[in-house]
Amino acid sequence: MAIAPSAQPIVAEQEEPAAGAASPPWPSEKAGFYALFVIIFSTFLNFFDTTVFAMLAERIKASFALSDSALGFVLGPASIVAFVFVGIPLARLVDLYPRKFVLSASIATLGTITALGGLAQSFGQLVGSRLFVGAGGAANGPGSYSMMADYFRPMRIPLVFALMQLSYTLANALGTWGGGRMIAWTDTLPATSSFAGLTIFSWQWILIIIGVPGLVASLMFLTVKEPPRRNPAQGEPLVPAGAPLGRRLLAFTGLDALKAINTRGAVYWPLFIALAMSAIESQGLPAWRVPFVARTYGWSEAEIGNLLAPLLLTASLLGLLMGGIFVSWMNKRHKDGNIRATAIIFSCTTVFAIAAPLMPSGELALGCMAMTAFFGLAGAPAQNAAIQRIAPNAMRGQVTALYLFMYTFFGAMGSFVIGTVSDVIVGDPDKLWEALLIVAAVFMPIATFSMWRAIRPYREEVERLEAQGL
């Protein structure tokens, strides 16, 4: 349930340079913090788009006469399909070309396609726009992490990465509040209007409006100074020199990461299963918050946003703070502290995820959802730290990439799973709460059991590494 813009670049981690080897001077921190500001702004826009689009769920369903399954597809899998096929290849561009240009093109594409989604004349065209939105944002995370690692000294990196996480937290809260306000504004407009010879629904103006800032962020990236890459020349490359074409193409697929994981499958697979199962619920739920509260309690989008936004902001910030404290406390007492802490947090998340759709009022339901966000953010540091602790040094970047890919892929599928359960099993759109309950009651216990199951092999792996002096 870790929250992150994207995976680290898919490259083998480099060894330290030999004694006396030349190393480029560190860039000025002033330039670094300006680059960090631009990255936070662009990442904020990425997540803001996703949050606001989810707020439009009921309007999209009504305008295009969709089933819950179709709605679930456009809310999640539509944006991840392109990521599956082009996400890792685009991330490789970060290693080959100046990152400022890759990031500029990424956010420009995201903003342009978001705005074009506001001109969609059919459900198929809207799905097509979300496909390209997913592709446009694929290089943002790898490029951002790579650039920051070359801008700041290692002692600064924890602070920098923590500040980068604010983009998600703020976008989730402000997107929820702002999305509700914008929807209330479009309700004052005619149901449809003509633009450039096209007939568009009133809610589509929101997509046009939120797409424009992406072009501003794209221009801002062009003013960022590209820092020199600090990878030592003698480091082992992911693809050996003179490798055949097939091997070079393989480097773009991420299969090297899978090979590394399989060598210690007893340690990794319980963690991966827990992440995937929890992501289906934790990332599927946000897409259905507004439809659930609107159908079950009769609230408008503006009413939902006014209460849910401050709840999410407070819960997310407290979750990051308290989670870090709790994990540090557990690690002082247990070698398996990272996973033990995550298992406890997963148990708490399961309780509130199952309780949310059973609440007698909208206020209590939103309160339970905020608590799932609290525990979700609390568990993020422990999960990320656990993978970094046991991943082989030469394959750490690739293992991290696949771990986060599991989160992204299964998280995106979550909205489709909930929609399908609503259509196929429940059969009544007004009883969406039953679909949320079924998904939470099935997937979260599996995730929690897998995380508890991972404690022993993780502890044994840590002890093995310690015995080798690692």
Side-chain angles (χ1 to χ4, degrees):
M1 298 166 71
I3 303 298
S6 185
Q8 301 264 5
I10 312 302
V11 293
E13 189 165 303
Q14 311 291 342
E15 297 179 357
E16 294 296 325
S23 180
W26 288 98
S28 72
E29 288 205 341
K30 181 179 180 180
F33 278 110
Y34 173 69
L36 175 61
F37 167 76
V38 176
I39 285 173
I40 291 175
F41 178 56
S42 64
T43 306
F44 168 85
L45 294 178
N46 194 342
F47 286 116
F48 186 82
D49 163 83
T50 302
T51 303
V52 172
F53 190 78
M55 294 288 292
L56 295 170
E58 289 294 88
R59 308 307 171 104
I60 296 171
K61 177 183 174 68
S63 296
F64 294 116
L66 304 179
S67 65
D68 279 348
S69 299
L71 180 61
F73 178 78
V74 75
L75 291 174
S79 64
I80 204 62
V81 169
F83 184 90
V84 171
F85 290 102
V86 304
I88 292 178
L90 284 180
R92 280 287 290 158
L93 297 180
V94 170
D95 303 317
L96 302 175
Y97 300 101
R99 290 154 290 188
K100 58 184 287 184
F101 295 131
V102 176
L103 291 169
S104 176
S106 174
I107 192 63
T109 301
L110 179 68
T112 301
I113 301 301
T114 296
L116 289 178
L119 304 178
Q121 299 295 287
S122 66
F123 177 62
Q125 291 178 8
L126 183 64
V127 169
S129 72
R130 300 315 291 179
L131 287 173
F132 284 99
V133 163
N140 183 68
S144 299
Y145 281 123
S146 176
M147 180 176 283
M148 290 297 95
D150 285 337
Y151 249 125
F152 292 95
R153 292 172 172 82
M155 61 180 291
R156 286 283 200 184
I157 289 298
L159 171 63
V160 170
F161 282 6
L163 291 174
M164 287 173 64
Q165 293 293 325
L166 289 176
S167 59
Y168 170 83
T169 301
L170 294 176
N172 199 19
L174 293 179
T176 300
W177 177 82
R181 303 308 301 172
M182 285 189 284
I183 292 172
W185 166 68
T186 58
D187 283 342
T188 66
L189 304 176
T192 60
S193 58
S194 179
F195 178 77
L198 303 174
T199 300
I200 62 175
F201 297 104
S202 59
W203 57 265
Q204 288 183 283
W205 285 106
I206 296 176
L207 296 181
I208 296 173
I209 292 171
I210 66 176
V212 173
L215 302 179
V216 177
S218 175
L219 295 176
M220 292 174 66
F221 267 119
L222 299 180
T223 66
V224 171
K225 295 181 180 179
E226 177 75 14
R229 298 180 186 267
R230 305 192 68 83
N231 288 341
Q234 69 271 27
E236 180 184 354
L238 176 62
V239 181
L245 176 61
R247 180 63 182 89
R248 293 177 181 275
L249 293 176
L250 188 64
F252 284 84
T253 67
L255 292 180
D256 290 293
L258 186 60
K259 180 180 178 181
I261 289 168
N262 272 327
T263 61
R264 312 289 303 177
V267 180
Y268 287 108
W269 287 119
L271 299 177
F272 276 61
I273 292 173
L275 181 70
M277 296 296 99
S278 66
I280 289 176
E281 195 282 330
S282 66
Q283 297 307 296
L285 173 63
W288 288 98
R289 283 173 182 153
V290 170
F292 160 65
V293 177
R295 298 181 197 179
T296 306
Y297 307 106
W299 289 27
S300 69
E301 290 91 347
E303 290 173 327
I304 296 170
N306 287 340
L307 177 58
L308 184 57
L311 284 177
L312 287 178
L313 180 60
T314 302
S316 298
L317 293 176
L318 287 177
L320 284 172
L321 174 63
M322 300 304 296
I325 294 174
F326 178 59
V327 173
S328 297
W329 182 80
M330 291 292 287
N331 278 328
K332 291 179 181 178
R333 289 159 176 78
H334 306 279
K335 292 184 183 295
D336 52 28
N338 285 323
I339 301 304
R340 190 178 294 269
T342 304
I344 294 172
I345 291 170
F346 267 40
S347 300
C348 297
T349 306
T350 299
V351 172
F352 284 101
I354 294 175
L358 297 174
M359 291 295 102
S361 69
E363 291 85 355
L364 290 175
L366 292 178
C368 287
M369 292 179 181
M371 290 303 298
T372 63
F374 170 85
F375 287 111
L377 269 295
Q383 293 178 78
N384 291 331
I387 289 295
Q388 297 304 314
R389 176 66 182 92
I390 64 175
N393 187 52
M395 301 289 277
R396 186 170 292 154
Q398 297 177 77
V399 171
T400 302
L402 187 54
Y403 187 69
L404 292 179
F405 169 79
M406 295 284 286
Y407 168 82
T408 303
F409 176 78
F410 284 93
M413 291 300 297
S415 62
F416 180 65
V417 170
I418 292 174
T420 301
V421 170
S422 176
D423 283 341
V424 177
I425 297 178
V426 177
D428 184 352
D430 292 333
K431 294 183 178 180
L432 179 60
W433 67 271
E434 293 186 9
L436 296 180
L437 177 62
I438 291 171
V439 172
V442 171
F443 290 100
M444 284 307 301
I446 294 174
T448 301
F449 173 79
S450 297
M451 192 58 70
W452 282 102
R453 175 66 179 78
I455 291 177
R456 180 176 177 181
Y458 178 81
R459 180 177 65 250
E460 293 173 349
E461 180 68 4
V462 171
E463 291 172 345
R464 185 184 71 84
L465 293 173
E466 288 180 345
Q468 296 177 0
L470 300 176

